[in-house]
Each structure stands twice: as structure tokens, then as C-alpha cells.
Amino acid sequence: MADRSVDSRQFRTALGSFATGVTIVTTRAPDGSPIGLTANSFNSLSLDPPMVMWALAKTSLSLEAFEKADYFAVNILSADQQSLADLFATRGAEKFSALNCDTGLGGIPLLRGCSALFECRTSYQYEGGDHVIFVGEVVEFAHFGRPALAFQGGTYASVVRYPTLSAGGAAVPARDVDSSFSRDFLGYLLGSAHARLMERVRGDLERYRLSEAHYHVLMFLSNEDNLTLKELTTLTQLADHQVSYQTLADLVIRDFITVSGGDYPSTRARLTPDGHRVALELAASLKAAEAYAERFLGATEAQTLKMLLRSILHAIPPVAAPSGADDA
Ligand SMILES: Cc1cc2nc3c(=O)[nH]c(=O)nc-3n(C[C@H](O)[C@H](O)[C@H](O)COP(=O)(O)O)c2cc1C
């Protein structure tokens, strides 16, 4: 007989390449207590009749309750329900005590804030090695349009759709420049994506005769007023722009900011009412540019992109500025 033993760690790793959603399957035990656990073995099975399936480890504390239950519910978790997934993957945890649940068929607890929900009548149970396979006929279902949580390679993930250039009428580039630098170099991609977004604000900047350094000062002040020049310099340097005393002086002359107190670099700047108005207008242009990009990316993808960019910024600290670089 051939040796069929498999390295279980390798086997798990190989299985982990298969990307899935994440669910919490719930039911009610004969004594009335709510039961649930995180499961990614869920799958669709039949359309007519509508059926779904999932598998439960025979070692699970919830096994007896599911074996005896007439109904179970599959709660498809949304992208922001990671902590719930962790809680329901913890053996023996107090899973329901802090939750407000709705009640479904047979009194089963239904979780709130999910991406979709299937209430099922248990139809079949099959032996499946160290798991029991549950097949349920879907009696009720609902989907709520929230982005779903995914699981791949042993970690939670979010679903990022591939952009389709034609989506929403996006223009196909006139000339497809096939260079590995322009296609693959992160710095180039970030830089040109930034330039592309800023193009949409540039008209406003030109109208107000403002540079990008002026623009950064106005935007940072509209976020948090009364920053010192030193603070503004630090913030804008991170975005590769130099704010000098002259930048502030220009904005004072234009009556967009007032400066007060302390000598350079502790001079503090505040927006004037005119400065507020211009900052709002610029922010609206940038928001519109972002919304335009989101139309092609999708909201989840845009959030994911921001999260990834924040991780880059977090992972790569700024190189300390050479001494004297922040002089006016
Ligand atoms: C993403 C993820 C998916 C899981 N999928 C399953 C599954 O399909 N079946 C299963 O029996 N356990 C699965 N588990 C493990 C159970 O959630 C975990 O063993 C839980 O403690 C069982 O709870 P219980 O013993 O209180 O019933 C999964 C865990 C995670 C984090």
C-alpha cells in the first residue's frame, strides 16, 4: 500500500492558498443556549433546491448542538467584523454575552452587521474524516451589500477587484508605454497617481496663484489650526514639499492666514475666513478627484489602497533632514 501520510502543516498551508470568505455559523442548543463558531468551510451547493454546506470539526464544543439542531444560520462576515471572527474562533469563549442578536427560524441567533445571511433547515449530515459535513436547505436569506471579509494564507484579507479599464467609461491610455519602470516601479506608480489626482486641483491652484507648498499649508491648517511653522514644515516635508517662512508670508499678504507669536520657527499660523473658504474649495476639488478615482477602483479597493499606503509610510520612516534644511 502506498504511503499516504501527509505532512499536516504543509497540507494546511496548501489548503490556505484557496481564498474563502469568513462565516459564523450559529444555532441554538436544546437547552436554549446560543451556539456559534467561525467557519470558512462554507460553500454553495445547489440552486434548485437552494442548498449550502459547511463542515464542523468533530472536536468542536458545538458539535452536539449542531447535530441536534433543526436549523442553523450562516452569517457571512463583512470586512469590518474581524474581531467577531476571532471571538467565534476561540474555543469555549463567552461568544454571545456582549452581542445584540436578532432571532431567526427555530430561535437561532442572527448576527448584525453581516454581509449576507442564510437561514437553513438541516437536511443532511455526512461523515467527512475528522469533520461532519452539514447540508442545509436555505429557507430565508438576505444580503446587505457590505464588503465581505476574506481569508487566505492563514490571514484575514479584503476582496480587491481587478480594475477594468473600460469600467464606467474610463479612458484607455492613448499609448500603452510598456516599460517595466512605468508598469512595476512603486515609486513611479505612486508619483504618477499623485500627479494625476493633483491635476484636478491644479486649475484651482492656478486660479488662486498658489503653489503646492501653499496648498499644503492651507490644507493642514484647515485640518488643525494654529500650527507652528516648524510643525507645518515637518508635515509638508513628508509629502516632499518645502514650506519656508516665505510660503507663510505669501499667504499672509494674500490674507489667507495670519501669523502670530514667537520667532521663526515657532511662529504660529491660523486661517483667516478667506483662507477657510479657499481651503474648503480646494478640499472639495481633491474630494471630487478622489471620488472620480473611486468610481473605477470601488470603495473597498480605495480604502484598501489607503491602508496599504499608510503601511508603506509606517514601514519606511523618513530619512532625517540634513541639519539646516528647514532654514527659511
Ligand atoms: C478563518 C477561520 C475559519 C475556520 N473554519 C472552520 C470550519 O470551517 N470548521 C470548523 O470546525 N472550525 C473552523 N474554524 C475553527 C473554529 O472556529 C474554532 O475551532 C472554534 O474554537 C470552534 O469553537 P467551539 O469549539 O467553541 O465550537 C475556523 C477558524 C478560523 C479562524
Side-chain angles (χ1 to χ4, degrees):
M1 199 172 120
D3 179 13
R4 306 211 20 204
S5 65
V6 291
D7 178 328
S8 63
R9 205 158 56 89
Q10 293 286 343
F11 183 50
R12 268 170 177 267
T13 309
L15 290 174
S17 342
F18 185 59
T20 66
V22 183
T23 76
I24 290 176
V25 189
T26 51
T27 194
R28 200 163 281 281
D31 69 0
S33 47
I35 301 289
L37 81 153
T38 302
N40 70 338
S41 53
F42 169 77
N43 226 315
S44 53
L45 181 64
S46 160
L47 289 176
D48 189 12
M51 291 178 123
V52 296
M53 56 176 283
W54 68 288
L56 176 62
K58 288 180 180 170
T59 51
S60 161
L61 298 174
S62 314
L63 181 67
E64 197 186 337
F66 278 105
E67 281 178 333
K68 291 186 173 161
D70 291 331
Y71 297 99
F72 64 83
V74 181
N75 304 265
I76 311 283
L77 297 191
S78 57
D80 58 3
Q81 288 183 312
Q82 263 185 57
S83 52
L84 213 55
D86 282 338
L87 174 65
F88 278 79
T90 308
R91 191 177 168 83
E94 263 298 327
K95 295 172 177 170
F96 289 91
S97 54
L99 292 182
N100 286 322
C101 291
D102 296 318
T103 305
L105 296 165
I108 40 177
L110 307 177
L111 305 181
R112 295 179 182 169
C114 291
S115 180
L117 172 70
F118 298 92
E119 291 182 66
C120 308
R121 183 182 298 114
T122 309
S123 303
Y124 305 104
Q125 298 181 22
Y126 299 108
E127 281 290 304
D130 55 9
H131 280 59
V132 175
I133 300 163
F134 289 88
V135 173
E137 181 168 356
V138 177
V139 185
E140 302 278 354
F141 72 93
H143 55 100
F144 309 105
R146 298 188 186 100
L149 182 62
F151 192 73
Q152 207 266 339
T155 52
Y156 298 116
S158 66
V159 181
V160 176
R161 290 170 307 161
Y162 280 125
T164 43
L165 263 183
S166 56
V172 175
R175 194 163 58 95
D176 193 5
V177 187
D178 189 25
S179 141
S180 61
F181 176 68
S182 60
R183 208 178 44 237
D184 291 331
F185 184 58
L186 189 58
Y188 174 86
L189 292 172
L190 291 175
S192 19
H194 167 76
R196 213 59 74 77
L197 282 176
M198 284 306 291
E199 269 171 19
R200 296 176 171 263
V201 184
R202 196 138 294 138
D204 292 326
L205 294 185
E206 278 166 14
R207 194 151 46 86
Y208 286 111
R209 286 175 289 113
L210 295 171
S211 68
E212 280 202 30
H214 294 134
Y215 161 75
H216 275 91
V217 170
L218 294 177
M219 297 313 290
F220 279 119
L221 287 178
S222 74
N223 224 17
E224 187 184 349
D225 220 354
N226 206 25
L227 294 172
T228 64
L229 175 57
K230 192 170 174 54
E231 288 164 333
L232 284 166
T233 306
T234 311
L235 286 167
T236 49
Q237 251 171 11
L238 296 178
D240 213 14
H241 288 288
Q242 298 293 326
V243 170
S244 63
Y245 193 80
Q246 187 56 50
T247 319
L248 295 193
D250 296 342
L251 292 169
V252 171
I253 293 167
R254 307 284 307 282
D255 197 25
F256 289 154
I257 65 169
T258 54
V259 290
S260 62
D263 294 330
Y264 165 84
S266 48
T267 317
R268 290 190 174 274
R270 280 177 181 280
L271 288 178
T272 62
D274 258 2
H276 264 297
R277 184 180 49 76
V278 173
L280 275 180
E281 207 173 302
L282 295 172
S285 289
L286 200 61
K287 275 267 164 252
E290 212 174 298
Y292 185 73
E294 265 191 37
R295 260 179 51 206
F296 304 110
L297 275 181
T300 316
E301 288 73 10
Q303 285 307 322
T304 308
L305 178 61
K306 286 181 194 174
M307 190 185 73
L308 295 174
L309 292 174
R310 280 196 294 268
S311 330
I312 292 182
L313 294 174
H314 184 73
I316 309 175
V319 178
S323 60
D326 62 348
D327 288 350

